[in-house]
PDB file of all heavy atoms in Angstrom:
ATOM      1  N   LEU A 271     218.256  46.181 -30.991  1.00  0.00           N
ATOM      2  CA  LEU A 271     217.022  46.019 -30.032  1.00  0.00           C
ATOM      3  C   LEU A 271     217.332  45.054 -28.888  1.00  0.00           C
ATOM      4  O   LEU A 271     216.946  45.490 -27.762  1.00  0.00           O
ATOM      5  CB  LEU A 271     215.902  45.415 -30.890  1.00  0.00           C
ATOM      6  CG  LEU A 271     215.153  46.323 -31.904  1.00  0.00           C
ATOM      7  CD1 LEU A 271     214.279  45.489 -32.803  1.00  0.00           C
ATOM      8  CD2 LEU A 271     214.396  47.401 -31.187  1.00  0.00           C
ATOM      9  N   LEU A 272     217.976  43.977 -29.051  1.00  0.00           N
ATOM     10  CA  LEU A 272     218.322  43.025 -27.987  1.00  0.00           C
ATOM     11  C   LEU A 272     219.190  43.686 -27.003  1.00  0.00           C
ATOM     12  O   LEU A 272     219.169  43.180 -25.802  1.00  0.00           O
ATOM     13  CB  LEU A 272     218.886  41.779 -28.528  1.00  0.00           C
ATOM     14  CG  LEU A 272     217.802  40.766 -29.353  1.00  0.00           C
ATOM     15  CD1 LEU A 272     218.510  39.761 -30.133  1.00  0.00           C
ATOM     16  CD2 LEU A 272     216.828  40.295 -28.369  1.00  0.00           C
ATOM     17  N   THR A 273     220.057  44.665 -27.402  1.00  0.00           N
ATOM     18  CA  THR A 273     221.015  45.121 -26.415  1.00  0.00           C
ATOM     19  C   THR A 273     220.794  46.502 -25.959  1.00  0.00           C
ATOM     20  O   THR A 273     221.579  47.230 -25.298  1.00  0.00           O
ATOM     21  CB  THR A 273     222.487  45.085 -27.030  1.00  0.00           C
ATOM     22  OG1 THR A 273     222.560  45.969 -28.116  1.00  0.00           O
ATOM     23  CG2 THR A 273     222.803  43.695 -27.399  1.00  0.00           C
ATOM     24  N   ARG A 274     219.459  46.959 -26.278  1.00  0.00           N
ATOM     25  CA  ARG A 274     219.171  48.345 -25.967  1.00  0.00           C
ATOM     26  C   ARG A 274     220.166  49.379 -26.410  1.00  0.00           C
ATOM     27  O   ARG A 274     220.663  50.240 -25.752  1.00  0.00           O
ATOM     28  CB  ARG A 274     218.913  48.514 -24.470  1.00  0.00           C
ATOM     29  CG  ARG A 274     217.719  47.496 -23.966  1.00  0.00           C
ATOM     30  CD  ARG A 274     217.649  47.561 -22.405  1.00  0.00           C
ATOM     31  NE  ARG A 274     216.782  46.624 -21.960  1.00  0.00           N
ATOM     32  CZ  ARG A 274     216.563  46.223 -20.662  1.00  0.00           C
ATOM     33  NH1 ARG A 274     217.313  46.879 -19.721  1.00  0.00           N
ATOM     34  NH2 ARG A 274     215.768  45.277 -20.305  1.00  0.00           N
ATOM     35  N   ALA A 275     220.462  49.283 -27.758  1.00  0.00           N
ATOM     36  CA  ALA A 275     221.379  50.134 -28.484  1.00  0.00           C
ATOM     37  C   ALA A 275     222.698  50.102 -27.720  1.00  0.00           C
ATOM     38  O   ALA A 275     223.468  51.099 -27.730  1.00  0.00           O
ATOM     39  CB  ALA A 275     220.844  51.598 -28.516  1.00  0.00           C
ATOM     40  N   GLY A 276     223.187  48.938 -27.299  1.00  0.00           N
ATOM     41  CA  GLY A 276     224.536  48.779 -26.676  1.00  0.00           C
ATOM     42  C   GLY A 276     224.638  48.990 -25.256  1.00  0.00           C
ATOM     43  O   GLY A 276     225.644  49.012 -24.676  1.00  0.00           O
ATOM     44  N   ALA A 277     223.469  49.207 -24.529  1.00  0.00           N
ATOM     45  CA  ALA A 277     223.456  49.436 -23.121  1.00  0.00           C
ATOM     46  C   ALA A 277     223.540  48.131 -22.342  1.00  0.00           C
ATOM     47  O   ALA A 277     223.906  48.204 -21.115  1.00  0.00           O
ATOM     48  CB  ALA A 277     222.168  50.115 -22.667  1.00  0.00           C
ATOM     49  N   GLN A 278     223.410  46.992 -23.039  1.00  0.00           N
ATOM     50  CA  GLN A 278     223.831  45.670 -22.408  1.00  0.00           C
ATOM     51  C   GLN A 278     224.460  44.766 -23.448  1.00  0.00           C
ATOM     52  O   GLN A 278     224.390  45.109 -24.658  1.00  0.00           O
ATOM     53  CB  GLN A 278     222.621  45.075 -21.790  1.00  0.00           C
ATOM     54  CG  GLN A 278     221.512  44.751 -22.774  1.00  0.00           C
ATOM     55  CD  GLN A 278     220.271  44.241 -21.967  1.00  0.00           C
ATOM     56  OE1 GLN A 278     219.901  44.589 -20.882  1.00  0.00           O
ATOM     57  NE2 GLN A 278     219.506  43.241 -22.702  1.00  0.00           N
ATOM     58  N   LEU A 279     225.053  43.708 -22.997  1.00  0.00           N
ATOM     59  CA  LEU A 279     225.690  42.867 -23.892  1.00  0.00           C
ATOM     60  C   LEU A 279     224.851  41.957 -24.680  1.00  0.00           C
ATOM     61  O   LEU A 279     223.609  41.651 -24.203  1.00  0.00           O
ATOM     62  CB  LEU A 279     226.748  42.023 -23.136  1.00  0.00           C
ATOM     63  CG  LEU A 279     227.954  42.677 -22.441  1.00  0.00           C
ATOM     64  CD1 LEU A 279     228.802  41.675 -21.635  1.00  0.00           C
ATOM     65  CD2 LEU A 279     228.743  43.340 -23.509  1.00  0.00           C
ATOM     66  N   PRO A 280     225.159  41.446 -25.814  1.00  0.00           N
ATOM     67  CA  PRO A 280     224.396  40.459 -26.497  1.00  0.00           C
ATOM     68  C   PRO A 280     224.241  39.150 -25.656  1.00  0.00           C
ATOM     69  O   PRO A 280     225.202  38.656 -25.107  1.00  0.00           O
ATOM     70  CB  PRO A 280     225.218  40.124 -27.715  1.00  0.00           C
ATOM     71  CG  PRO A 280     226.212  41.234 -27.891  1.00  0.00           C
ATOM     72  CD  PRO A 280     226.449  41.648 -26.551  1.00  0.00           C
ATOM     73  N   PRO A 281     222.921  38.649 -25.571  1.00  0.00           N
ATOM     74  CA  PRO A 281     222.710  37.455 -24.743  1.00  0.00           C
ATOM     75  C   PRO A 281     223.187  36.208 -25.529  1.00  0.00           C
ATOM     76  O   PRO A 281     223.269  36.252 -26.783  1.00  0.00           O
ATOM     77  CB  PRO A 281     221.227  37.462 -24.559  1.00  0.00           C
ATOM     78  CG  PRO A 281     220.704  38.143 -25.813  1.00  0.00           C
ATOM     79  CD  PRO A 281     221.737  39.226 -26.061  1.00  0.00           C
ATOM     80  N   ASP A 282     223.349  35.186 -24.781  1.00  0.00           N
ATOM     81  CA  ASP A 282     223.635  33.856 -25.504  1.00  0.00           C
ATOM     82  C   ASP A 282     222.474  33.421 -26.291  1.00  0.00           C
ATOM     83  O   ASP A 282     222.645  32.933 -27.454  1.00  0.00           O
ATOM     84  CB  ASP A 282     223.984  32.763 -24.463  1.00  0.00           C
ATOM     85  CG  ASP A 282     225.286  32.932 -23.775  1.00  0.00           C
ATOM     86  OD1 ASP A 282     226.277  33.507 -24.347  1.00  0.00           O
ATOM     87  OD2 ASP A 282     225.449  32.501 -22.533  1.00  0.00           O
ATOM     88  N   TRP A 283     221.256  33.628 -25.790  1.00  0.00           N
ATOM     89  CA  TRP A 283     220.004  33.203 -26.391  1.00  0.00           C
ATOM     90  C   TRP A 283     219.073  34.386 -26.389  1.00  0.00           C
ATOM     91  O   TRP A 283     219.086  35.203 -25.428  1.00  0.00           O
ATOM     92  CB  TRP A 283     219.402  31.991 -25.725  1.00  0.00           C
ATOM     93  CG  TRP A 283     220.234  30.729 -25.834  1.00  0.00           C
ATOM     94  CD1 TRP A 283     221.312  30.306 -25.167  1.00  0.00           C
ATOM     95  CD2 TRP A 283     219.968  29.691 -26.785  1.00  0.00           C
ATOM     96  NE1 TRP A 283     221.790  29.161 -25.577  1.00  0.00           N
ATOM     97  CE2 TRP A 283     221.040  28.703 -26.609  1.00  0.00           C
ATOM     98  CE3 TRP A 283     219.142  29.560 -27.846  1.00  0.00           C
ATOM     99  CZ2 TRP A 283     221.075  27.598 -27.427  1.00  0.00           C
ATOM    100  CZ3 TRP A 283     219.141  28.356 -28.603  1.00  0.00           C
ATOM    101  CH2 TRP A 283     220.142  27.411 -28.373  1.00  0.00           C
ATOM    102  N   ALA A 284     218.192  34.350 -27.367  1.00  0.00           N
ATOM    103  CA  ALA A 284     217.036  35.366 -27.487  1.00  0.00           C
ATOM    104  C   ALA A 284     216.000  34.883 -28.305  1.00  0.00           C
ATOM    105  O   ALA A 284     216.124  33.821 -28.960  1.00  0.00           O
ATOM    106  CB  ALA A 284     217.639  36.638 -28.006  1.00  0.00           C
ATOM    107  N   THR A 285     214.797  35.552 -28.265  1.00  0.00           N
ATOM    108  CA  THR A 285     213.709  35.258 -29.169  1.00  0.00           C
ATOM    109  C   THR A 285     213.314  36.437 -29.964  1.00  0.00           C
ATOM    110  O   THR A 285     213.356  37.629 -29.476  1.00  0.00           O
ATOM    111  CB  THR A 285     212.477  34.733 -28.306  1.00  0.00           C
ATOM    112  OG1 THR A 285     212.101  35.623 -27.400  1.00  0.00           O
ATOM    113  CG2 THR A 285     212.790  33.363 -27.806  1.00  0.00           C
ATOM    114  N   LEU A 286     212.776  36.180 -31.183  1.00  0.00           N
ATOM    115  CA  LEU A 286     212.300  37.279 -32.101  1.00  0.00           C
ATOM    116  C   LEU A 286     211.051  36.806 -32.701  1.00  0.00           C
ATOM    117  O   LEU A 286     210.884  35.620 -33.005  1.00  0.00           O
ATOM    118  CB  LEU A 286     213.287  37.567 -33.223  1.00  0.00           C
ATOM    119  CG  LEU A 286     214.745  37.996 -32.758  1.00  0.00           C
ATOM    120  CD1 LEU A 286     215.585  38.046 -34.118  1.00  0.00           C
ATOM    121  CD2 LEU A 286     214.624  39.422 -32.153  1.00  0.00           C
ATOM    122  N   GLY A 287     210.088  37.792 -32.808  1.00  0.00           N
ATOM    123  CA  GLY A 287     208.829  37.394 -33.600  1.00  0.00           C
ATOM    124  C   GLY A 287     207.884  36.707 -32.724  1.00  0.00           C
ATOM    125  O   GLY A 287     207.977  36.688 -31.386  1.00  0.00           O
ATOM    126  N   GLY A 288     206.855  36.072 -33.397  1.00  0.00           N
ATOM    127  CA  GLY A 288     205.881  35.325 -32.650  1.00  0.00           C
ATOM    128  C   GLY A 288     204.922  36.209 -31.810  1.00  0.00           C
ATOM    129  O   GLY A 288     204.235  35.792 -30.899  1.00  0.00           O
ATOM    130  N   GLY A 289     204.787  37.479 -32.275  1.00  0.00           N
ATOM    131  CA  GLY A 289     203.995  38.451 -31.505  1.00  0.00           C
ATOM    132  C   GLY A 289     204.486  38.902 -30.286  1.00  0.00           C
ATOM    133  O   GLY A 289     203.697  39.609 -29.539  1.00  0.00           O
ATOM    134  N   ARG A 290     205.723  38.735 -30.052  1.00  0.00           N
ATOM    135  CA  ARG A 290     206.308  39.210 -28.746  1.00  0.00           C
ATOM    136  C   ARG A 290     207.474  40.208 -29.093  1.00  0.00           C
ATOM    137  O   ARG A 290     208.168  40.039 -30.043  1.00  0.00           O
ATOM    138  CB  ARG A 290     206.797  37.987 -27.918  1.00  0.00           C
ATOM    139  CG  ARG A 290     205.865  37.023 -27.655  1.00  0.00           C
ATOM    140  CD  ARG A 290     206.486  35.861 -26.918  1.00  0.00           C
ATOM    141  NE  ARG A 290     205.700  34.691 -26.837  1.00  0.00           N
ATOM    142  CZ  ARG A 290     206.070  33.513 -26.338  1.00  0.00           C
ATOM    143  NH1 ARG A 290     207.289  33.449 -25.826  1.00  0.00           N
ATOM    144  NH2 ARG A 290     205.299  32.410 -26.295  1.00  0.00           N
ATOM    145  N   PRO A 291     207.873  41.063 -28.067  1.00  0.00           N
ATOM    146  CA  PRO A 291     208.984  41.979 -28.362  1.00  0.00           C
ATOM    147  C   PRO A 291     210.316  41.104 -28.354  1.00  0.00           C
ATOM    148  O   PRO A 291     210.314  40.106 -27.649  1.00  0.00           O
ATOM    149  CB  PRO A 291     208.974  42.942 -27.161  1.00  0.00           C
ATOM    150  CG  PRO A 291     207.565  42.863 -26.641  1.00  0.00           C
ATOM    151  CD  PRO A 291     207.091  41.436 -26.978  1.00  0.00           C
ATOM    152  N   PRO A 292     211.355  41.536 -29.081  1.00  0.00           N
ATOM    153  CA  PRO A 292     212.705  40.861 -28.956  1.00  0.00           C
ATOM    154  C   PRO A 292     213.008  40.780 -27.597  1.00  0.00           C
ATOM    155  O   PRO A 292     212.912  41.730 -26.857  1.00  0.00           O
ATOM    156  CB  PRO A 292     213.519  41.723 -29.763  1.00  0.00           C
ATOM    157  CG  PRO A 292     212.598  42.341 -30.705  1.00  0.00           C
ATOM    158  CD  PRO A 292     211.383  42.618 -30.010  1.00  0.00           C
ATOM    159  N   ALA A 293     213.528  39.564 -27.040  1.00  0.00           N
ATOM    160  CA  ALA A 293     213.919  39.483 -25.677  1.00  0.00           C
ATOM    161  C   ALA A 293     215.035  38.396 -25.535  1.00  0.00           C
ATOM    162  O   ALA A 293     215.097  37.532 -26.136  1.00  0.00           O
ATOM    163  CB  ALA A 293     212.642  38.925 -24.913  1.00  0.00           C
ATOM    164  N   ALA A 294     215.951  38.843 -24.585  1.00  0.00           N
ATOM    165  CA  ALA A 294     216.941  37.972 -24.125  1.00  0.00           C
ATOM    166  C   ALA A 294     216.395  36.785 -23.414  1.00  0.00           C
ATOM    167  O   ALA A 294     215.382  36.958 -22.593  1.00  0.00           O
ATOM    168  CB  ALA A 294     218.002  38.712 -23.209  1.00  0.00           C
ATOM    169  N   GLU A 295     216.957  35.673 -23.492  1.00  0.00           N
ATOM    170  CA  GLU A 295     216.435  34.449 -22.878  1.00  0.00           C
ATOM    171  C   GLU A 295     217.555  33.694 -22.238  1.00  0.00           C
ATOM    172  O   GLU A 295     218.756  33.817 -22.543  1.00  0.00           O
ATOM    173  CB  GLU A 295     215.813  33.505 -23.915  1.00  0.00           C
ATOM    174  CG  GLU A 295     214.604  34.049 -24.658  1.00  0.00           C
ATOM    175  CD  GLU A 295     213.314  34.119 -23.824  1.00  0.00           C
ATOM    176  OE1 GLU A 295     213.298  33.411 -22.790  1.00  0.00           O
ATOM    177  OE2 GLU A 295     212.424  34.888 -24.126  1.00  0.00           O
ATOM    178  N   ALA A 296     217.188  32.905 -21.202  1.00  0.00           N
ATOM    179  CA  ALA A 296     218.144  32.070 -20.527  1.00  0.00           C
ATOM    180  C   ALA A 296     218.459  30.804 -21.511  1.00  0.00           C
ATOM    181  O   ALA A 296     217.695  30.530 -22.418  1.00  0.00           O
ATOM    182  CB  ALA A 296     217.668  31.514 -19.229  1.00  0.00           C
ATOM    183  N   ALA A 297     219.644  30.325 -21.362  1.00  0.00           N
ATOM    184  CA  ALA A 297     219.993  29.061 -22.208  1.00  0.00           C
ATOM    185  C   ALA A 297     218.883  27.931 -21.861  1.00  0.00           C
ATOM    186  O   ALA A 297     218.543  27.851 -20.709  1.00  0.00           O
ATOM    187  CB  ALA A 297     221.344  28.602 -21.835  1.00  0.00           C
ATOM    188  N   PRO A 298     218.535  27.255 -22.907  1.00  0.00           N
ATOM    189  CA  PRO A 298     217.487  26.158 -22.736  1.00  0.00           C
ATOM    190  C   PRO A 298     217.886  25.244 -21.600  1.00  0.00           C
ATOM    191  O   PRO A 298     219.018  24.843 -21.486  1.00  0.00           O
ATOM    192  CB  PRO A 298     217.537  25.445 -23.997  1.00  0.00           C
ATOM    193  CG  PRO A 298     217.952  26.431 -25.048  1.00  0.00           C
ATOM    194  CD  PRO A 298     218.925  27.318 -24.285  1.00  0.00           C
ATOM    195  N   GLN A 299     216.932  24.984 -20.679  1.00  0.00           N
ATOM    196  CA  GLN A 299     217.124  24.099 -19.528  1.00  0.00           C
ATOM    197  C   GLN A 299     218.217  24.408 -18.611  1.00  0.00           C
ATOM    198  O   GLN A 299     218.655  23.654 -17.778  1.00  0.00           O
ATOM    199  CB  GLN A 299     217.347  22.634 -20.069  1.00  0.00           C
ATOM    200  CG  GLN A 299     216.203  22.192 -20.995  1.00  0.00           C
ATOM    201  CD  GLN A 299     216.459  20.807 -21.517  1.00  0.00           C
ATOM    202  OE1 GLN A 299     217.583  20.386 -21.602  1.00  0.00           O
ATOM    203  NE2 GLN A 299     215.485  20.118 -22.042  1.00  0.00           N
ATOM    204  N   SER A 300     218.627  25.746 -18.586  1.00  0.00           N
ATOM    205  CA  SER A 300     219.746  26.113 -17.672  1.00  0.00           C
ATOM    206  C   SER A 300     219.202  26.631 -16.294  1.00  0.00           C
ATOM    207  O   SER A 300     219.874  26.410 -15.235  1.00  0.00           O
ATOM    208  CB  SER A 300     220.498  27.258 -18.277  1.00  0.00           C
ATOM    209  OG  SER A 300     219.787  28.468 -18.276  1.00  0.00           O
ATOM    210  N   GLY A 301     218.076  27.174 -16.233  1.00  0.00           N
ATOM    211  CA  GLY A 301     217.507  27.763 -15.097  1.00  0.00           C
ATOM    212  C   GLY A 301     218.274  29.006 -14.570  1.00  0.00           C
ATOM    213  O   GLY A 301     217.930  29.535 -13.572  1.00  0.00           O
ATOM    214  N   SER A 302     219.207  29.517 -15.407  1.00  0.00           N
ATOM    215  CA  SER A 302     219.959  30.646 -15.006  1.00  0.00           C
ATOM    216  C   SER A 302     219.454  31.856 -15.736  1.00  0.00           C
ATOM    217  O   SER A 302     218.595  31.832 -16.817  1.00  0.00           O
ATOM    218  CB  SER A 302     221.419  30.516 -15.406  1.00  0.00           C
ATOM    219  OG  SER A 302     221.962  29.391 -14.827  1.00  0.00           O
ATOM    220  N   PRO A 303     219.683  33.143 -15.231  1.00  0.00           N
ATOM    221  CA  PRO A 303     219.211  34.270 -15.916  1.00  0.00           C
ATOM    222  C   PRO A 303     219.907  34.481 -17.205  1.00  0.00           C
ATOM    223  O   PRO A 303     220.997  33.871 -17.389  1.00  0.00           O
ATOM    224  CB  PRO A 303     219.512  35.472 -14.903  1.00  0.00           C
ATOM    225  CG  PRO A 303     220.591  34.850 -14.040  1.00  0.00           C
ATOM    226  CD  PRO A 303     220.368  33.361 -13.990  1.00  0.00           C
ATOM    227  N   PRO A 304     219.458  35.240 -18.136  1.00  0.00           N
ATOM    228  CA  PRO A 304     220.149  35.542 -19.497  1.00  0.00           C
ATOM    229  C   PRO A 304     221.588  35.972 -19.073  1.00  0.00           C
ATOM    230  O   PRO A 304     221.805  36.843 -18.240  1.00  0.00           O
ATOM    231  CB  PRO A 304     219.182  36.567 -20.129  1.00  0.00           C
ATOM    232  CG  PRO A 304     217.912  36.325 -19.581  1.00  0.00           C
ATOM    233  CD  PRO A 304     218.154  35.941 -18.125  1.00  0.00           C
ATOM    234  N   ALA A 305     222.520  35.645 -19.925  1.00  0.00           N
ATOM    235  CA  ALA A 305     223.920  36.076 -19.751  1.00  0.00           C
ATOM    236  C   ALA A 305     224.465  36.089 -21.086  1.00  0.00           C
ATOM    237  O   ALA A 305     224.038  35.641 -22.079  1.00  0.00           O
ATOM    238  CB  ALA A 305     224.600  35.063 -18.908  1.00  0.00           C
TER     239      ALA A 305
END
């Protein structure tokens, strides 16, 4: 789910659950896009 069936790389950070779709996240306090 997080990589769209392999269409993108696994992110360093992500979130699951909490009523939201699984999503790649930026590293905490980095201010950079997910990588």
